[in-house]
Amino acid sequence: MRKIIAIGPREQDFQFTNGLFDGSITLYGRGTEKNRSYCSANQTRINHNITTDEQNSYIINEAEKLIEEDPEIRFMSYDPNAAFDCGERIISRTLCLNRKSLMDRLKSKIRFKEWASDTVEILPYTVMYGRECSLDTIVERVGLAEKYVFQKEVSSGGEDTVLLEKSEIESHVLSLEDGNQYLISRYMENSISINIHVIIYDEEILLTPVSVQITTIRNRRILYRGADFIAADQIDSGIMERFREKTFCLCRKLQSEGFRGIAGLDGLIVDGQVFFVEINNRFQGSSPLINLALHDHGLPCLQELNLRAFEESRSGVDISSLSVPYSCYTYISDENGKIPVGYPYDLLRDNNVVSVNNDGLDLSWSIYPLASLDRVVFKTNIVSISAENTLLIHPNIMEADPKWYRKIAIEHDPLYLKIALINQGLFISSEAEKYLRQNGGIRSGVFNAVDLDVHGIVINSAVRVKFARLSPFSLEPEGDHLVLRYYGDKVTDVGFYPADELQDIRISHDTKMSDICLLATDRVRIQHSSNCYFKHNGMGCRFCEVQDYDYSFDLGQVESAVQTYMDSAHQYRHYLIGGRSDSPEKEPASVLRIAQYITAHQPAPIYVMCVPPRNFEVFETWANAGVTEIAMNLEIWDSCLAKKWMPGKGAISREYYLKALEAAVKVWGKTGKVRSAFVVGLEPDASLLEGIRSVCRCGAAPILSVFRPIPGTPAHYVIPYDNERLLSIYLKAHEICAEYGLKPGPSCVPCQNNTLSMPDDYCG
């Protein structure tokens, strides 16, 4: 049986290859057992996207040693293009090689576009030599844009893909090499990059599932960071079908020219259309994820299928229904070769993490700028596609933002701390859990979260949502109190709201106190309906965790539950009526009866949260019964997205909401006591801000509630915004509110716990 040695950038690229390889020669690797690793041998961690003669020499020398030991040995390269530079002894022993002239044409981004343009759609581009580039010529050839992408003819991983503001082009041209050609195109802000593997045989073409490519911009480079096969399900099926059809057409063309084996094709989705970007005539960074899925199903790995393409006319396998339920992300060093803040931390504490692999990295080594550190594999999506057709990467996956680290860990800025805690959630250590149990427990907050008191600012932080266990925030005991840590550094002491011992009291055989009343911060929240009218009728909000419950209660039981809180020793300031929408026929009367009961037995401020009633005259009736505040929550301003995410509530027109708010303002005034909440993260920013302005124009105050992907809801796959974007929205909303003499609500400090709002005395 022949021995095959794998050659490539990472040892981990050859996981789940079913024992095909007898060893490997790699840049990154452990350098133990049957792996020969350049980095381990030199005790350094390079940026593998920048190749050097020294690295190439290492690969060649190690391969030559193996040939001396066994002249019958064979090689398979991650990138077959590299094999042609290794000398005849290695080339002759390298499996799965196409002819060099064809490979040279395909690895050139310029020549590929020329070759493919008569078969598939290509983004407008121009090719220019070095210092001949000028903004005027670029605009003339590809059109005006705020940003442009410059690429070398041959590059990998985005290292030679530079993103420039149009104002930077003239100065950047001075650094270009006169003899090199550069491919220049407009930067498409609202676009999604996708990729597909193909394996071409004499009589067959295999297409694998499509992945969404994850990139980040570092040092003006658009760097490839990982892939997400699960997120590809969010792409319109028609777009995906066209992409696969066009991919097959290109593969037929490749097949006719004699190409065999594996390749990858990159596409870009812009305005509902797919443009082809380039071909990678090699394996890819996402190949190990496909191999993992193939391994799960007992199928041959990509390397085996690649080998068969050169030896057999057909693959002998059916992967047409293959699913790849994985994603991955690669952590890298910063622009100075420094390890990012927070690295390493315990990624495996989240059960969505399949593996963490650093290919034998030792942090005492010399680390190059933008060098790969860990590659983490997940069994869930880590990105999603926004309403603007941009990629959202989960904030708990990405490295720490230096600005936010400084603001939170060093300056202790309350606004930054609150936004990050609301958005990124909280990890409660086992020691903290023990402390809480011994001290009465912690009260559950809304949206699978807990409420922390940070020097008078109440912050609702999720603990049971996706990736909360990877939050940079942790709760730890310190002596007789709890402290909040951020990437392991102490930020501040915190207080918490103890558990409510009334919650488990039985009102009937199928109904508990918590089904009707909830003690949340400084208020008692009263559910006036056992079920949400919209959920019960199959029109529930797709981001809401409210279920269609099988228990029921009447208003007499509601009054009994409220009285229990009145008779208890609990301290609270006001009541909130609402949470589950009742039918339009029942809700006005239910709210009125509960308000009258409270006012008659223990008067306190009453806050009503409801959908706009059919008769606005009920507002005056409620006010007379003791209601002091009201919220009618638009949630989403864009009417199409409102109907998508809220089939029931979204069917109520935006105009009707505004009329209801105007009517309520006539009763309660333009004082912020009339409000409307928006979910931040489910619609374009421009649409959200338009909705905020419309509400303010009515005299009502907006409430900004950060979207949270609640497990078990249809929106569980949606990734929340990053902290910086939330900050930007908060500041813009604050400016809009100020124009109308308002502030983002609510005004009650404890009730601000899960909203983008701050107390009046905050001077940030």
Side-chain angles (χ1 to χ4, degrees):
M1 183 177 179
R2 62 186 172 187
K3 291 183 178 180
I4 305 175
I5 302 298
I7 297 178
R10 299 178 176 92
E11 182 184 5
Q12 61 182 288
D13 287 329
F14 306 106
Q15 284 184 305
F16 302 105
T17 50
N18 305 325
L20 177 65
F21 298 111
D22 196 60
S24 59
I25 306 171
T26 58
L27 298 177
Y28 300 162
R30 294 169 297 168
T32 58
E33 299 174 351
K34 294 185 177 182
N35 171 248
R36 300 167 183 238
S37 161
Y38 173 85
C39 286
S40 292
N42 292 277
Q43 297 193 351
T44 188
R45 191 66 156 205
I46 60 170
N47 178 349
H48 71 281
N49 291 312
I50 302 176
T51 58
T52 66
D53 291 340
E54 184 180 1
Q55 295 165 26
N56 292 337
S57 295
Y58 177 86
I59 299 292
I60 293 170
N61 290 338
E62 294 301 317
E64 290 284 1
K65 290 177 186 177
L66 289 171
I67 293 172
E68 290 298 322
E69 295 174 8
D70 182 0
E72 300 302 315
I73 205 159
R74 294 294 181 265
F75 303 101
M76 184 186 293
S77 184
Y78 174 95
D79 182 0
N81 297 285
F84 293 112
D85 298 324
C86 293
E88 185 55 35
R89 289 224 307 168
I90 296 174
I91 294 174
S92 63
R93 290 171 172 79
T94 298
L95 303 170
C96 307
L97 285 184
N98 287 285
R99 68 180 188 276
K100 187 176 186 302
S101 59
L102 176 58
M103 295 292 280
D104 285 344
R105 186 201 313 164
L106 294 177
K107 75 177 181 179
S108 164
K109 299 179 189 296
I110 296 170
R111 294 173 67 187
F112 167 74
K113 290 180 186 292
E114 294 171 347
W115 174 82
S117 60
D118 63 349
T119 307
V120 297
E121 292 76 21
I122 303 291
L123 275 176
Y125 69 97
T126 187
V127 177
M128 302 178 72
Y129 280 96
R131 296 187 184 180
E132 292 178 358
C133 299
S134 71
L135 178 59
D136 289 342
T137 306
I138 293 170
V139 171
E140 180 183 339
R141 294 185 183 181
V142 301
L144 181 63
E146 291 301 313
K147 298 177 183 177
Y148 293 90
V149 177
F150 280 63
Q151 290 180 293
K152 282 189 175 180
E153 185 174 5
V154 178
S155 63
S156 176
E159 180 59 38
D160 290 309
T161 300
V162 182
L163 179 63
L164 296 173
E165 301 279 349
K166 63 182 179 182
S167 60
E168 298 175 315
I169 289 177
E170 300 299 342
S171 59
H172 180 71
V173 166
L174 299 176
S175 65
L176 300 181
E177 300 172 27
D178 286 337
N180 283 345
Q181 284 186 311
Y182 294 87
L183 190 150
I184 306 167
S185 58
R186 286 178 294 152
Y187 177 62
M188 299 299 180
E189 296 272 4
N190 304 103
S191 62
I192 299 296
S193 179
I194 55 177
N195 172 270
I196 186 170
H197 286 65
V198 302
I199 309 170
I200 300 174
Y201 294 75
D202 288 346
E203 300 176 4
E204 184 182 20
I205 295 170
L206 294 183
L207 304 184
T208 71
V210 174
S211 69
V212 172
Q213 294 193 301
I214 303 172
T215 60
T216 60
I217 298 172
R218 298 283 291 273
N219 197 27
R220 299 196 301 187
R221 265 64 177 173
I222 304 175
L223 301 179
Y224 175 82
R225 303 294 298 278
D228 194 325
F229 285 88
I230 305 165
D233 290 339
Q234 301 169 36
I235 299 171
D236 178 81
S237 59
I239 294 175
M240 292 290 275
E241 185 177 349
R242 290 195 299 274
F243 178 60
R244 293 179 70 88
E245 287 175 354
K246 290 294 185 179
T247 296
F248 193 82
C249 291
L250 273 183
C251 288
R252 290 293 297 271
K253 188 173 181 178
L254 283 169
Q255 188 182 52
S256 69
E257 297 198 18
F259 184 90
R260 295 295 179 268
I262 197 159
L265 286 157
D266 293 342
L268 197 67
I269 301 173
V270 183
D271 295 331
Q273 187 174 1
V274 180
F275 297 93
F276 281 75
V277 178
E278 63 187 34
I279 188 170
N280 303 305
N281 50 342
R282 54 175 170 77
F283 292 91
Q284 299 169 101
S286 56
S287 299
L289 297 184
I290 298 179
N291 275 348
L292 178 54
L294 291 168
H295 182 269
D296 291 342
H297 291 84
L299 295 171
C301 66
L302 290 177
Q303 284 81 359
E304 291 174 286
L305 294 174
N306 184 50
L307 187 60
R308 291 185 189 182
F310 287 84
E311 298 179 343
E312 302 172 23
S313 61
R314 302 186 68 86
S315 67
V317 299
D318 179 9
I319 63 168
S320 59
S321 60
L322 179 69
S323 172
V324 182
Y326 301 109
S327 59
C328 70
Y329 186 80
T330 300
Y331 292 90
I332 62 177
S333 60
D334 68 15
E335 291 80 354
N336 299 309
K338 302 296 184 183
I339 302 300
V341 171
Y343 175 93
Y345 67 109
D346 187 8
L347 290 160
L348 290 172
R349 70 191 185 196
D350 191 298
N351 61 13
N352 284 306
V353 175
V354 175
S355 63
V356 181
N357 196 323
N358 66 8
D359 278 316
L361 171 66
D362 187 324
L363 294 180
S364 68
W365 292 351
S366 170
I367 310 289
Y368 279 52
L370 307 180
S372 293
L373 304 175
D374 284 354
R375 180 159 62 185
V376 185
V377 175
F378 303 86
K379 59 182 178 182
T380 185
N381 67 300
I382 59 175
V383 302
S384 66
I385 300 170
S386 74
E388 296 104 328
N389 199 48
T390 58
L391 204 63
L392 302 174
I393 308 175
H394 199 287
N396 287 0
I397 301 300
M398 299 182 70
E399 296 91 339
D401 183 318
K403 169 189 170 182
W404 281 77
Y405 179 80
R406 183 182 71 253
K407 284 287 188 178
I408 294 171
I410 300 173
E411 299 178 15
H412 300 170
D413 187 297
L415 175 60
Y416 283 75
L417 176 61
K418 181 178 183 182
I419 290 175
L421 260 176
I422 286 177
N423 197 37
Q424 296 186 264
L426 177 69
F427 173 70
I428 301 179
S429 71
S430 57
E431 293 80 7
E433 288 179 351
K434 180 179 179 181
Y435 174 92
L436 291 167
R437 285 195 300 270
Q438 294 173 344
N439 289 272
I442 191 168
R443 187 183 308 168
S444 295
V446 295
F447 307 130
N448 295 272
V450 296
D451 292 310
L452 302 179
D453 187 325
V454 183
H455 304 301
I457 297 177
V458 184
I459 305 175
N460 180 261
S461 190
V463 294
R464 288 184 296 277
V465 300
K466 190 171 185 174
F467 295 135
R469 294 183 66 82
L470 295 185
S471 171
F473 292 101
S474 62
L475 201 60
E476 307 281 354
E478 186 175 275
D480 60 353
H481 62 282
L482 291 172
V483 299
L484 182 69
R485 295 187 180 276
Y486 183 61
Y487 291 108
D489 296 329
K490 179 178 176 180
V491 177
T492 183
D493 299 339
V494 295
F496 65 95
Y497 289 86
D500 178 4
E501 71 279 3
L502 301 180
Q503 292 293 281
D504 293 327
I505 294 176
R506 285 282 169 185
I507 291 180
S508 67
H509 73 281
D510 62 351
T511 306
K512 296 188 300 182
M513 180 71 75
S514 59
D515 297 327
I516 299 176
C517 289
L518 291 169
L519 188 63
T521 62
D522 71 340
R523 69 178 182 264
V524 174
R525 182 168 187 165
I526 305 166
Q527 313 277 11
H528 54 40
S529 174
S530 58
N531 271 304
C532 170
Y533 170 79
F534 298 111
K535 180 78 73 172
H536 186 68
N537 288 282
M539 300 181 293
C541 298
R542 294 168 59 81
F543 50 80
C544 178
E545 80 275 25
V546 170
Q547 302 299 313
D548 192 24
Y549 300 108
D550 56 6
Y551 60 79
S552 62
F553 51 79
D554 57 34
L555 289 179
Q557 290 173 306
V558 173
E559 291 173 346
S560 176
V562 171
Q563 189 62 52
T564 300
Y565 275 93
M566 290 179 175
D567 295 339
S568 73
H570 281 302
Q571 299 295 311
Y572 53 90
R573 187 185 68 82
H574 61 152
Y575 295 90
L576 168 64
I577 303 174
R580 300 176 194 141
S581 300
D582 206 344
S583 69
E585 295 80 16
K586 294 181 180 179
E587 188 165 77
S590 298
V591 170
L592 177 62
R593 177 172 166 176
I594 296 169
Q596 288 174 331
Y597 185 89
I598 293 170
T599 302
H601 292 80
Q602 191 183 83
I606 300 173
Y607 178 14
V608 170
M609 191 175 289
C610 64
V611 295
R614 290 175 177 173
N615 186 349
F616 297 158
E617 292 179 1
V618 74
F619 294 148
E620 191 72 46
T621 306
W622 287 350
N624 292 334
V627 173
T628 55
E629 302 171 274
I630 186 171
M632 290 172 282
N633 300 329
L634 277 152
E635 315 278 13
I636 299 170
W637 179 251
D638 181 284
S639 59
C640 292
L641 290 172
K643 291 171 185 174
K644 171 187 174 180
W645 292 113
M646 308 181 299
K649 286 184 66 177
I652 304 171
S653 73
R654 313 295 87 185
E655 292 74 20
Y656 192 76
Y657 265 98
L658 296 181
K659 288 179 181 178
L661 291 170
E662 289 173 349
V665 166
K666 291 178 181 178
V667 175
W668 285 284
K670 298 181 180 181
T671 58
K673 292 185 177 180
V674 179
R675 298 185 279 274
S676 187
F678 292 90
V679 178
V680 181
L682 293 177
E683 66 179 316
D685 295 359
S687 172
L688 169 64
L689 295 172
E690 179 186 334
I692 290 170
R693 183 173 293 280
S694 297
V695 165
C696 288
R697 197 179 290 122
C698 294
I703 301 172
L704 306 179
S705 180
V706 177
F707 167 76
R708 215 170 257 171
I710 305 298
T713 66
H716 72 278
Y717 66 87
V718 178
I719 299 298
Y721 288 170
D722 61 68
N723 297 338
E724 187 66 22
R725 186 169 180 180
L726 293 176
L727 174 64
S728 174
I729 290 170
Y730 165 78
L731 295 174
K732 289 174 182 176
H734 211 280
E735 290 176 2
I736 293 171
C737 288
E739 294 178 29
Y740 297 90
L742 296 163
K743 289 189 66 176
S747 56
C748 170
V749 173
C751 293
Q752 293 176 346
N753 60 336
N754 65 329
T755 66
L756 296 180
S757 55
M758 294 295 286
D760 290 339
D761 59 0
Y762 172 70
C763 301

